[in-house]
Amino acid sequence: MLRVGICDDRQEDIGRIRTLAVRFSEHCPECPLRVTACTSAHDLLEEVEREGGYDVYLLDILMPHMSGIELAHRLRRRGERAQILFLTTSREYGIEAIGVKAAGYLLKPVQETAFFEAMHACMKELEPEKHPSLMVKTKQGLFRVQLAELMMIESFNHVCELTLSNGTKLRTSARLSALYEQLREVPGFIFPHRAYIVNMEFVRGLGSAGILMTDGRQLPVSRKSYAEIKSAYLEYMTRI
């Protein structure tokens, strides 16, 4: 099921998208659409904080108080790698769409053929093998963390802190061992110390002092794990 979040201040346009979503689900029963609609950017952001992010966002560009472009920027700052499609009556916003890595835009009134083509394209880009992710529960809500953007996880004082490549930090009460169980089969992730999980994509070097991350942090490596970690890192570097 593809989770779709709509934000448009016009109920008429929301109704049109809902109708198209029903038709798409009938046409493509192997991947039905589950639609949530909001009439303001703030309402959608609250929904995302409460329920977690969506797979696809359909955002009206011209809305009061906060435009669809600004809303898209806020979603990206959350670490969202969802597909974003803008709803608009004009093609003049192409540059802004590129700035938030949007999948494209749909001209209003949205036509069935264009909607179907856009959804199929989004489905292809969202294939799990292309963008594996980890769902994390925080005090602020559920977050889908793309593994390609997960730099490291650190455990301290019974809290795990995830550091993303854009500097975002998420805290969760989940145990580090439980998170590692979800990541142990994912290529590139190592467990160099009982307090850390590391994505080797963000390792600058490994030496006697430990692991040097691309953000300049130095992380410890336990003595009993050093040989194994060194071997894994050399193999990873050779592969890439």
Side-chain angles (χ1 to χ4, degrees), residues 2 27 76 83 87 101 113 126 147 191 211 216 226 238:
L2 210 63
H27 177 76
R76 290 300 188 218
Q83 294 291 288
L87 304 173
K101 299 179 181 178
T113 300
L126 289 166
L147 299 190
F191 200 10
I211 293 174
Y226 186 84
T238 301

Side-chain angles (χ1 to χ4, degrees), residues 61 69 73 84 86-107:
I61 289 183
I69 298 290
H73 277 293
I84 294 177
F86 288 116
L87 304 173
T88 179
T89 57
S90 171
R91 299 175 185 270
E92 64 180 291
Y93 299 97
I95 298 300
E96 289 90 340
I98 293 173
V100 292
K101 299 179 181 178
Y105 53 83
L106 294 170
L107 292 177

Side-chain angles (χ1 to χ4, degrees), residues 3 44-45 47-49 51-57 71-84 100-101 126 135 142-146 149 164 166 168 170:
R3 300 181 67 240
L44 180 65
L45 288 172
E47 190 71 23
V48 168
E49 292 291 347
E51 301 294 335
Y54 294 87
D55 300 304
V56 179
Y57 291 95
L71 174 56
H73 277 293
R74 294 203 181 191
L75 292 169
R76 290 300 188 218
R77 286 197 290 272
R78 276 178 45 91
E80 295 266 357
R81 290 193 65 185
Q83 294 291 288
I84 294 177
V100 292
K101 299 179 181 178
L126 289 166
M135 288 298 293
L142 287 171
F143 285 79
R144 178 184 289 109
V145 177
Q146 300 294 329
E149 298 179 352
L164 308 187
N166 63 1
T168 299
L170 302 173

Side-chain angles (χ1 to χ4, degrees), residues 1-8 13-14 16-22 24-25 28 31-39 43-44 47-48 51-60 71 75 80 82-87 106 110 115-116 118-123 126 144:
M1 179 174 288
L2 210 63
R3 300 181 67 240
V4 178
I6 305 172
C7 190
D8 196 309
D13 291 331
I14 289 177
R16 173 65 177 168
I17 297 296
R18 284 191 180 277
T19 299
L20 292 174
V22 171
F24 181 86
S25 297
C28 190
C31 190
L33 305 184
R34 176 185 173 189
V35 175
T36 299
C38 297
T39 55
D43 286 347
L44 180 65
E47 190 71 23
V48 168
E51 301 294 335
Y54 294 87
D55 300 304
V56 179
Y57 291 95
L58 298 171
L59 310 178
D60 183 23
L71 174 56
L75 292 169
E80 295 266 357
Q83 294 291 288
I84 294 177
L85 291 163
F86 288 116
L87 304 173
L106 294 170
V110 179
F115 181 81
F116 279 26
M119 287 300 105
H120 281 299
C122 288
M123 286 168 57
L126 289 166
R144 178 184 289 109

Side-chain angles (χ1 to χ4, degrees), residues 27-237:
H27 177 76
C28 190
E30 71 275 13
C31 190
L33 305 184
R34 176 185 173 189
V35 175
T36 299
C38 297
T39 55
S40 78
H42 292 292
D43 286 347
L44 180 65
L45 288 172
E46 287 183 1
E47 190 71 23
V48 168
E49 292 291 347
R50 184 167 54 248
E51 301 294 335
Y54 294 87
D55 300 304
V56 179
Y57 291 95
L58 298 171
L59 310 178
D60 183 23
I61 289 183
L62 298 178
M63 295 186 292
H65 309 300
M66 186 189 302
S67 72
I69 298 290
E70 174 57 26
L71 174 56
H73 277 293
R74 294 203 181 191
L75 292 169
R76 290 300 188 218
R77 286 197 290 272
R78 276 178 45 91
E80 295 266 357
R81 290 193 65 185
Q83 294 291 288
I84 294 177
L85 291 163
F86 288 116
L87 304 173
T88 179
T89 57
S90 171
R91 299 175 185 270
E92 64 180 291
Y93 299 97
I95 298 300
E96 289 90 340
I98 293 173
V100 292
K101 299 179 181 178
Y105 53 83
L106 294 170
L107 292 177
K108 295 182 178 183
V110 179
Q111 300 302 306
E112 182 176 293
T113 300
F115 181 81
F116 279 26
E117 289 178 352
M119 287 300 105
H120 281 299
C122 288
M123 286 168 57
K124 187 174 181 180
E125 287 300 315
L126 289 166
E127 290 174 352
E129 60 269 22
K130 284 189 176 182
H131 303 291
S133 61
L134 177 71
M135 288 298 293
V136 179
K137 185 177 182 180
T138 73
K139 289 184 178 180
Q140 290 72 40
L142 287 171
F143 285 79
R144 178 184 289 109
V145 177
Q146 300 294 329
L147 299 190
E149 298 179 352
L150 177 56
M151 180 182 294
M152 57 174 285
I153 306 175
E154 178 182 5
S155 174
F156 57 92
N157 295 330
H158 306 292
V159 172
C160 283
E161 183 175 85
L162 290 74
T163 300
L164 308 187
S165 57
N166 63 1
T168 299
K169 294 183 183 295
L170 302 173
R171 290 191 173 187
T172 177
S173 59
R175 301 172 72 89
L176 191 70
S177 57
L179 295 174
Y180 184 65
E181 282 302 313
Q182 299 180 62
L183 296 172
R184 64 184 307 167
E185 301 300 328
V186 180
F189 283 88
I190 52 176
F191 200 10
H193 186 276
R194 66 175 183 272
Y196 296 93
I197 298 173
V198 173
N199 184 347
M200 287 189 284
E201 184 66 24
F202 300 98
V203 173
R204 181 176 294 169
L206 173 65
S208 57
I211 293 174
L212 178 62
M213 303 297 291
T214 53
D215 65 353
R217 294 184 65 177
Q218 192 90 36
L219 305 181
V221 178
S222 66
R223 288 185 179 181
K224 66 176 183 179
S225 300
Y226 186 84
E228 180 183 348
I229 296 302
K230 181 179 179 180
S231 176
Y233 180 60
L234 290 174
E235 180 182 348
Y236 182 79
M237 292 301 293

